[in-house]
Amino acid sequence: DIQMTQSPSTLSASVGDRVTITCRASQRISIWLAWYQQKPGTAPKLLIYQASILESGVPSRFSGSGSGTEFTLTISSLQPDDFATYYCQQYNSPYTFGQGTKLEIK
Amino acid sequence: QVQLQESGPGLVKPSQTLSLTCSVSGGSVSSGSSYWSWIRQPAGKGLEWIGRIHTSGSTDYNPSLRGRVIISVDTSKNQFSLRLSSVTAADTAVYYCATDGSGTPERYWGQGTLVTVSS
């Protein structure tokens, strides 16, 4: 199976900050990488797929990059609504998720 | 817009079989080329992909659960289902059903349902 490793596990930041979350795959996955945002008590929400394509309706302050084994999710200017947990997911079956990054208010 | 709704028992005894159903509206489990998936999340932990079924009927499962899991489709009811056998407390989680979009992985999700394994 392909293992996904996210870093950091927890990230403390302030409104207006630029933040980056990294996801590494244990083997090459081309661009088959998605990012999700999850808030407590709700289902995950798809933000980005194919490593860099922004899902419809997602603010442009979110961006994704990478290919192969190394990927990043960047939020250019944090907004209050962005404090949540973020997961990467590789989607070469069987799919696997990273362990999550909790983005907290500093 | 596809909408999904999970249903099933909230409490299952150890060693028994967990059975959940996902009702689909705004889409069809039997047409097009879509994957219908199950994902779970233990309290306070991360997401675990359980498996999926394609509109063609082909299935893929998480190797760690293979042998215990079956995902099936009921086209007459426009539903798909999860059966997980020989459950233990480690199977206690919120279970989500989900489906993909054009070129995307899980775009549409149900609200999730909590299943507790306890005697």
Side-chain angles (χ1 to χ4, degrees):
Chain A
D1 299 357
I2 300 173
Q3 308 302 315
M4 305 301 293
T5 304
Q6 280 182 243
S7 59
S9 296
T10 305
L11 180 56
S12 296
S14 301
V15 172
D17 284 354
R18 178 184 180 92
V19 299
T20 298
I21 299 169
T22 297
C23 184
R24 290 186 174 86
S26 61
Q27 55 187 274
R28 295 184 65 84
I29 57 169
S30 185
I31 58 169
W32 307 118
L33 191 283
W35 291 97
Y36 295 86
Q37 176 193 67
Q38 188 180 32
K39 296 182 179 179
T42 68
K45 173 188 174 183
L46 179 65
L47 298 177
I48 287 169
Y49 59 97
Q50 288 184 36
S52 63
I53 299 176
L54 200 64
E55 172 72 338
S56 175
V58 174
S60 59
R61 62 180 180 273
F62 290 90
S63 63
S65 65
S67 66
T69 62
E70 191 105 359
F71 302 86
T72 59
L73 171 69
T74 298
I75 309 172
S76 60
S77 178
L78 274 174
Q79 299 302 302
D81 191 49
D82 300 338
F83 292 96
T85 300
Y86 293 84
Y87 293 93
C88 62
Q89 179 203 35
Q90 68 80 20
Y91 52 106
N92 288 308
S93 185
Y95 296 179
T96 45
F97 290 92
Q99 80 277 18
T101 295
K102 185 175 183 180
L103 180 52
E104 299 180 328
I105 300 175
K106 185 184 287 185
Chain B
Q1 174 90 359
V2 178
Q3 294 186 324
L4 306 170
Q5 178 67 58
E6 305 90 349
S7 60
L11 181 64
V12 181
K13 291 184 180 345
S15 80
Q16 293 191 342
T17 296
L18 178 161
S19 296
L20 294 174
T21 296
C22 183
S23 298
V24 179
S25 58
S28 171
V29 297
S30 58
S31 64
S33 181
S34 294
Y35 286 100
W36 306 91
S37 303
W38 289 96
I39 297 103
R40 69 181 181 180
Q41 184 172 37
K45 297 187 178 182
L47 300 163
E48 180 181 28
W49 186 79
I50 298 171
R52 66 181 185 176
I53 187 165
H54 189 257
T55 47
S56 66
S58 66
T59 53
D60 298 297
Y61 298 125
N62 185 328
S64 70
L65 299 172
R66 198 168 288 152
R68 293 203 296 136
V69 62
I70 297 174
I71 297 175
S72 59
V73 161
D74 186 336
T75 57
S76 67
K77 296 181 179 179
N78 207 29
Q79 297 175 336
F80 64 107
S81 298
L82 169 70
R83 287 176 58 86
L84 183 66
S85 61
S86 305
V87 297
T88 70
D91 295 309
T92 294
V94 173
Y95 285 75
Y96 295 100
C97 60
T99 189
D100 58 3
S102 299
T104 80
E106 283 79 19
R107 168 176 281 163
Y108 305 104
W109 294 68
Q111 65 186 26
T113 187
L114 174 63
V115 178
T116 302
V117 178
S118 175
S119 55

